[in-house]
Amino acid sequence: MLFKPIPVITGFLTMSCLLSACSSRPVAAGNLSADSSSIPSPFVSQGAQANPGASVIPAVPGPSNSAAEPNVLSIQLKGMTYFFPGHNVATKRYNFAAATSTGIVWSPAPPMEGEGTDPAGIPLEPFTVYLSDPADIELNAAKARKLWTLALPEASDEYTKLNSLQGVGEYVVYHTYTMFRGGAQALRNQAWALKTGDPADNIEILSFRTAGGYFYSWGIEEQDKLYVSVSQLPDGDGSYEYEVYVYSLEQERKTEMKQFMLDNNMIKFQYNGRSYSVKLQQG
């Protein structure tokens, strides 16, 4: 029985170019357990380069001084609308924001240069993650606290991009992928956990593959702050092996799960004497 495709859900932000009443600029729309042998066949991968942006929201009036900005993106989080300037329409899908218990965590798209048919292919500067006061609707790097800057690859022919950003209490979970210049598949994909109160405590949860017959999905159990990963590995005869891990953000501990059950886009398992059901999305 085929596993139903899991849509890429990055509902951390929704964006649209801000309309200015006096401007004629074009507007871009912007968990009991079961043996793993019973698990259905693989997810449908959408690749490392899939658009991590979310659905477009209607343009809304921005703060009074926003009309001077060439591209201001509007982002809705917990009933509030936040604004930060984007470099251009081509890079708007590389802007991310998420609500945490300590504030708004966000990362603006860095300047990029085109590669192939992608007008925003290669970052010219690394992605940086900031923390802003939730009462400040204008996300501004000059007024925010810098939490982390993604390291640039050592090889000059490689580059790394941020692929998702999600708040979980005082933590941030984010994903990155690294590419060769001119490459069609990611060299490596990584999941990370960052504690906003101690940004030096930036931990790689795991590395994974999403190309060449490999598939990956993940989900978050927010109450107990668990990150759940499902990797599907080809075994050479047309079927798949499964690797499932549960990572506790609070305990900084990763546990491999030997018993679990996949049901549509959900994974069911038992962890520390409790039963969980977590919704999955592709990584």
Side-chain angles (χ1 to χ4, degrees), residues 53-121:
S55 58
V56 176
I57 62 171
V60 296
S64 59
N65 62 345
S66 295
E69 300 291 351
N71 282 302
V72 179
L73 304 177
S74 61
I75 303 162
Q76 290 188 341
L77 297 168
K78 293 188 176 297
M80 295 280 288
T81 300
Y82 296 89
F83 302 85
F84 60 87
H87 290 89
N88 56 55
V89 173
T91 65
K92 72 175 184 178
R93 68 185 186 273
Y94 296 109
N95 292 272
F96 302 90
T100 71
S101 61
T102 57
I104 303 301
V105 176
W106 58 286
S107 178
M112 298 185 184
E113 66 180 8
E115 182 181 44
T117 59
D118 188 351

Side-chain angles (χ1 to χ4, degrees), residues 130-166:
Y130 298 93
L131 177 67
S132 288
D133 187 329
D136 190 348
I137 65 171
E138 293 191 75
L139 302 178
N140 186 321
K143 298 167 59 177
R145 176 188 178 194
K146 183 188 292 186
L147 294 180
W148 196 259
T149 297
L150 271 64
L152 290 171
E154 295 182 2
S156 61
D157 60 346
E158 298 179 8
Y159 60 90
T160 299
K161 284 183 175 181
L162 185 63
N163 196 38
S164 72
L165 185 70
Q166 182 165 336

Side-chain angles (χ1 to χ4, degrees), residues 10 14 20 28 39 84-85 106 125 151 176 215 230 267 282:
T10 52
T14 54
S20 171
I39 299 172
F84 60 87
W106 58 286
E125 298 174 6
T176 63
F215 302 88
V230 180
I267 183 169
Q282 287 194 332

Side-chain angles (χ1 to χ4, degrees), residues 212-224:
Y214 291 78
F215 302 88
Y216 184 80
S217 63
W218 61 279
I220 291 177
E221 201 288 320
E222 295 196 13
Q223 181 177 353
D224 291 333

